[in-house]
Amino acid sequence: MSETINIEQAVLDNLRILSNDKQQEVLDFVEVLVKKTVNHQQLDIEDSDSSISSNLQQEQRLWQSYLSCEKKI
């Protein structure tokens, strides 16, 4: 946590030195990074959901196979 605070403080300290135009560039860059991060997290969630769905389908097939084998016995 203290490392995060140090990074934030270093960014703020350096940001204050820059002109308004350069500060706007920094803000634009940070917004792009945030957007990429959010998009990446959404893809991870979708992949996770897809994986869970696939696993459930496999379990259902295995269970059905087990039940059909048990009926034959």
Side-chain angles (χ1 to χ4, degrees):
M1 177 86 169
S2 64
E3 183 177 328
T4 301
I5 293 171
N6 291 337
I7 291 171
E8 289 177 8
Q9 191 59 51
V11 169
L12 289 173
D13 290 345
N14 283 287
L15 189 64
R16 288 183 182 115
I17 297 169
L18 299 175
S19 67
N20 287 341
D21 291 344
K22 294 299 179 184
Q23 288 180 3
Q24 184 62 52
E25 285 184 48
V26 172
L27 177 59
D28 293 343
F29 178 71
V30 169
E31 288 173 344
V32 168
L33 288 178
V34 168
K35 187 173 182 178
K36 282 183 180 181
T37 301
V38 169
N39 288 341
H40 184 70
Q41 288 172 345
Q42 287 174 343
L43 288 175
D44 287 347
I45 289 170
E46 290 170 7
D47 288 346
S48 176
D49 288 348
S50 175
S51 176
I52 289 169
S53 176
S54 176
N55 288 342
L56 287 174
Q57 288 172 352
Q58 285 179 319
E59 287 178 25
Q60 286 175 339
R61 284 193 295 273
L62 287 171
W63 183 246
Q64 289 171 349
S65 175
Y66 170 77
L67 290 176
S68 67
C69 288
E70 198 170 80
K71 286 178 183 178
K72 292 177 184 177
I73 299 176

